[in-house]
Amino acid sequence: LTITNVGNGDIMIDFSGANTASDFTVLRKFVATSTVETIGSFTQRPIIISGLDTTETWFLQLFAANDFGASPITELSGVKPSHSSQKTLIVNGFDRTNGTTNSKDYIRQHGSALWEQGQAFDGSTNEAVIAGMVDLNDYRVVDWILGEEGAVNSTFTAEEQILIREYLENGGHLIISGSEIGYDLVAQGSSADQLFYQNYLKAEYISDAAGGHQGTYGAFGTSGSIFDGITAIDFDNGTHGTYDVDYPDGIKPTGGAEICAKFSNVDYATKGGAGICYNGPFNDSPAYGTLVYLSIGFETIYPTAKRDELMTRIINYFDQADAGNIDTMPNIPAEIGITAIYPNPFNSRVNIAVKLPQTNTVASSLIIVDLLGRIVTELNISAITGSGTIIWDGRTNDGKIAPTGMYLAILKSQNKQFIRKFTLMK
């Protein structure tokens, strides 16, 4: 099941199965009430619904019918109609029903928090992503719901891992939340699962149930991180409308990531924390991807204002990454590197300040690539020794004006590579 914007307040609902159905009824649920509203009955697929209010979120599900009766109602998905091309995809990968409470409507908490940030979003099941009905790379941000998905249902299948790897290597922004991801991929997973967890979720799995069984239901933002100053992150013990987060994984960052949330009254050194974040290359890709991984389901955090506050910080983190304002290159030798890019964003000309060896006996190069890794142009820096500034006029190698978007400046010198993001805005 996928629900996507098609523009001007129109949406498309696509799905598989129900091949013998004669009609499909679309229902709407609301954020804070149990009210269910019938949108309409349709005979064609995919379903196109026109003229929706773009100031509202629309959480929808449907059922099929024929002369023999009606199908079960699908899980809830949703959409925030918009005219903007900068969209988020919310993927529901939480299918587990045994040993947990799963109302399959947690897109409401995620979508509402994104809506508070002015973010348009589409909704999809993880099965639709695997089937190719929706492409992660069409979205600036992907918010993947895993809840208490575990080893029985698999948090990330091999197919999903391939898609996530590609998305991050292409410079995507990924939010993942779920309490059993490390337990599934590391404690119960294969060597391939473990490598994916380490290299793409940038995490080290420390413990199952970091605070002990039903031992902790609180966390806090760590100093200097994206959640700095957030002193209370409370999550559901089963009495706050979602499900009991009784076994949250304890995790630590690896591969250049940083801890952004720790559990309250839990020894971080031995039990691990509750959240990590990372901005940088994945698998040596020239594009910089961004990740926020919480080992508690985002939907279980309460009250609503707290979820909104956390989402504000996450979206700001992604915005800063896009603007090139996150220091993702620690330990770069002071005598070599890209020291500044200005103005950023730029309209017609951008200055790229570099440092090279005073005696430049090693070939150096400066190239501009797009977020898919395609070379846009190569700039001549042969005359620079020491500090210098190169001007790019926003044109490609064949003299065409490059389109609006995010680009990477890649400096290669002395067997090292330095990358900075910047934005061309027409």
Side-chain angles (χ1 to χ4, degrees), residues 70-102:
S71 73
I73 298 175
T74 66
E75 63 190 68
L76 194 71
S77 192
V79 67
K80 165 62 172 65
S82 174
H83 304 292
S84 170
S85 61
Q86 294 290 314
K87 294 186 296 183
T88 293
L89 177 67
I90 304 176
V91 179
N92 183 19
F94 184 16
D95 300 315
R96 175 184 171 189
T97 55
N98 292 330
T100 187
T101 300
N102 188 356

Side-chain angles (χ1 to χ4, degrees), residues 346-350 379 391-396 401 424 426:
F346 79 102
N347 177 261
S348 59
R349 291 161 61 92
V350 64
L379 303 174
I391 297 174
W392 181 42
D393 62 3
R395 294 182 179 274
T396 64
I401 298 175
L424 169 60
K426 294 295 185 182

Side-chain angles (χ1 to χ4, degrees), residues 150-170:
V152 174
N153 299 85
S154 185
T155 53
F156 287 110
T157 65
E159 295 85 354
E160 289 168 328
Q161 290 178 29
I162 291 171
L163 297 172
I164 290 290
R165 290 202 304 263
E166 180 185 66
Y167 178 70
L168 290 171
E169 289 175 4
N170 286 340

Side-chain angles (χ1 to χ4, degrees), residues 343-373:
N344 186 18
F346 79 102
N347 177 261
S348 59
R349 291 161 61 92
V350 64
N351 300 280
I352 305 172
V354 300
K355 277 190 176 183
L356 294 172
Q358 292 288 344
T359 304
N360 194 0
T361 58
V362 179
S364 302
S365 64
L366 179 63
I367 61 173
I368 307 299
V369 304
D370 62 20
L371 290 186
L372 296 179

Side-chain angles (χ1 to χ4, degrees), residues 7 27 53 73 112 156 188 227 257 268 273 322 334 381 384 395 421:
L27 308 174
D53 187 341
I73 298 175
S112 298
F156 287 110
Q188 303 293 316
F227 298 144
Y268 171 71
D322 285 343
I381 59 172
I384 295 180
R395 294 182 179 274
K421 277 186 179 181

